[in-house]
Amino acid sequence: MRDGLRGLTTRGRSFLAAAVAAAISAGILGEKDLLRVAVLLGVLPLLGAAYVGRSRYKLACSRSLDPHRVPVGASSRVVLRLQNMSRLPTGTLLLEDRLPYALGSRPRVVLERLGAHQASSVAYTVRADVRGRYEVGPLVVRMTDPFGLCELTRAFPSTDGLTVIPQVVPLPSIRLPGEYAGSGESRSRSVAVHGEDDAATREYRRGDDLRRVHWKSTARTGELMVRREEQPWEARATVVLDTRAFAHRGDGPAASFEWAVTAAASIAVHLRQAGYKMRLVTGSGVDVDAGEGAGEGLLLDHLADVRLDKHTEVTTLVQRVRQRSDGGLIIALLGSLDTAEAELLSGLRGNGATCVGFLLDSSAWLSLPDRARTEAAHAHDASALVLLQSGWRVVGVGHGDQLAALWPQTARGSQGFALRAAMAETVAGGVK
């Protein structure tokens, strides 16, 4: 009852004030009928407060999201189910679900009445244009009596999480320059050269079963060769995301960093579906594996949270990749580099790794004067040339480029880019 009195609306407080005024007037004028009016005006807000206060703790609420994980720009459906657990019907209910600003304005839904033990469901949709993890809720319910004299608010503490992941762009199937990496006695070998079905052999050792002798290899090498007991070949790929804040330009969903995150997600999912054992490494500390038992959802969830880091350097990125470097295919999404940083990245070519770099000209995401644009293009080509000379395959990325159109260049090599970068170096040398 006390809580109900605190929840009196402006109308309810006006009724009480009118009741007091009518009672005083009745006493002064000696009008019994006016006193009856005063009693009626005073009783109605009290009854409304008692009615609302009695039913406020007998509501149950549940929320469901479908789906819980959506890509940027997609919608998720939120269903709220409210049930009256008491024997008395409720008054008008105003539902308001609290949402982060990125998911839009707070939805407000009015339920006229819930009967005894009756339940009702309402639904609304949320849409996010910015990736991340968001909390939906808590739900706030405003309860009123039929006359609108008293209003109480109750918040249900439960919340649900919505994960907004980067968009995944479908990529064409190509023959990648990657390698199949093995473990134990096996060594890395290129699928394009040997083929996946070739038998792995080693020299004959005393005690080996003669039925395991591989006669073709024996004839080719002149020594007795036997088949290995195991061939633990597996396609391995590492996607590296450059999160240096000063290497990217632009703001919001159209920034160069968001292009790189979308590309990392698309490439990781594409390779994972092609049977690769995936590893994701970022400059901000993410290092996660997605083997046979893990789906691409694990990678996408980490990419939903990744942010630019002002303290990350190329040295840190290279060290993190090298911590568990075991060959295979390395695909890096790189922001702007200088030649010194490109030389540090060239060291990843060790241990038989095939390196492919999508090198973003992040200055293209800015409006620059012609001279500044030319200088930025020369710096971009110079860093690309350093990577090319160390054996990397480099794919240049400018503002407005589509990943699906650039993806086949990872198989064709970077001859065009190499020629343009070499010409830039020649022109720069002539200027000196």
Side-chain angles (χ1 to χ4, degrees):
M1 182 65 178
R2 184 177 301 174
D3 292 335
L5 292 175
R6 293 196 190 101
L8 288 176
T9 63
T10 302
R11 182 185 299 176
R13 296 178 187 276
S14 300
F15 266 58
L16 287 179
V20 172
I24 294 174
S25 300
I28 295 174
L29 300 176
E31 291 288 341
K32 294 182 179 180
D33 292 338
L34 188 58
L35 182 61
R36 294 188 183 96
V37 173
V39 172
L40 177 62
L41 291 175
V43 168
L44 283 177
L46 297 178
L47 290 176
Y51 176 79
V52 174
R54 183 178 179 181
S55 61
R56 66 186 294 259
Y57 295 109
K58 296 180 181 179
L59 293 174
C61 175
S62 62
R63 181 191 299 103
S64 61
L65 276 69
D66 183 26
H68 281 82
R69 180 195 292 123
V70 295
V72 169
S75 298
S76 177
R77 189 169 184 264
V78 183
V79 179
L80 294 170
R81 178 179 173 81
L82 200 66
Q83 184 173 7
N84 180 15
M85 306 298 292
S86 69
R87 298 178 180 178
L88 297 176
T90 68
T92 302
L93 301 177
L94 174 63
L95 311 183
E96 179 180 318
D97 220 4
R98 295 178 179 174
L99 297 177
Y101 177 78
L103 295 183
S105 59
R106 296 179 179 180
R108 292 180 174 87
V109 181
V110 176
L111 291 180
E112 291 296 336
R113 185 176 180 274
L114 280 180
H117 302 288
Q118 183 181 357
S120 180
S121 297
V122 294
Y124 65 92
T125 59
V126 293
R127 181 178 182 271
D129 294 323
V130 180
R131 57 185 176 78
R133 296 177 188 266
Y134 302 97
E135 281 193 354
V136 179
L139 175 68
V140 176
V141 179
R142 301 182 187 274
M143 296 167 286
T144 64
D145 64 285
F147 300 103
L149 301 175
C150 181
E151 178 183 278
L152 291 180
T153 300
R154 180 182 179 185
F156 293 87
S158 63
T159 60
D160 289 88
L162 176 66
T163 303
V164 181
I165 60 176
Q167 286 185 340
V168 176
V169 179
L171 300 179
S173 298
I174 59 174
R175 189 177 183 86
L176 291 169
E179 296 182 346
Y180 272 59
S183 58
E185 296 178 343
S186 58
R187 301 170 58 186
S188 301
R189 63 177 183 174
S190 172
V191 177
V193 176
H194 297 286
E196 186 177 357
D197 297 329
D198 286 359
T201 59
R202 61 168 174 81
E203 296 83 359
Y204 173 82
R205 298 172 186 170
R206 184 175 180 180
D208 286 338
D209 191 345
L210 293 178
R211 289 175 296 182
R212 291 170 47 203
V213 173
H214 192 265
W215 297 109
K216 290 184 179 180
S217 299
T218 299
R220 184 171 62 251
T221 61
E223 298 180 3
L224 196 59
M225 307 293 289
V226 296
R227 295 183 179 86
R228 297 184 188 275
E229 294 180 358
E230 296 179 319
Q231 295 187 42
W233 307 112
E234 55 185 7
R236 297 178 181 175
T238 302
V239 174
V240 182
L241 178 62
D242 183 6
T243 59
R244 296 172 300 140
F246 50 85
H248 294 277
R249 298 291 184 271
D251 298 316
S256 63
F257 181 64
E258 293 304 318
W259 193 100
V261 172
T262 299
S266 303
I267 293 171
V269 170
H270 178 77
L271 296 181
R272 184 68 186 85
Q273 293 176 350
Y276 279 76
K277 179 181 178 182
M278 291 300 307
R279 179 187 175 203
L280 173 67
V281 180
T282 71
S284 54
V286 175
D287 190 346
V288 60
D289 289 320
E292 295 181 0
E296 57 267 14
L298 178 65
L299 300 173
L300 295 177
D301 286 346
H302 280 85
L303 288 173
D305 291 331
V306 69
R307 294 290 182 267
L308 289 171
D309 191 342
K310 296 181 180 179
H311 305 290
T312 299
E313 297 181 355
V314 170
T315 305
T316 306
L317 188 63
V318 172
Q319 289 175 350
R320 285 175 178 157
V321 175
R322 283 179 170 173
Q323 283 178 354
R324 293 185 294 112
S325 179
D326 48 7
L329 176 64
I330 296 177
I331 298 182
L333 287 308
L334 304 170
S336 297
L337 298 171
D338 56 32
T339 54
E341 292 168 337
E343 289 175 357
L344 291 173
L345 286 168
S346 64
L348 295 178
R349 276 280 297 149
N351 197 22
T354 299
C355 298
V356 179
F358 285 83
L359 186 58
L360 279 70
D361 183 6
S362 59
S363 63
W365 272 257
L366 299 175
S367 297
L368 298 176
D370 292 341
R371 183 174 180 180
R373 172 68 63 203
T374 302
E375 292 176 354
H378 284 324
H380 178 68
D381 290 345
S383 58
L385 182 60
V386 173
L387 293 176
L388 288 165
Q389 290 174 341
S390 65
W392 278 64
R393 293 193 176 201
V394 181
V395 179
V397 180
H399 185 257
D401 288 344
Q402 301 296 320
L403 177 63
L406 298 176
W407 181 244
Q409 295 185 32
T410 60
R412 294 198 298 264
S414 310
Q415 291 82 1
F417 203 133
L419 178 60
R420 185 162 63 90
M423 291 176 62
E425 184 187 43
T426 302
V427 172
V431 171
K432 294 179 181 179

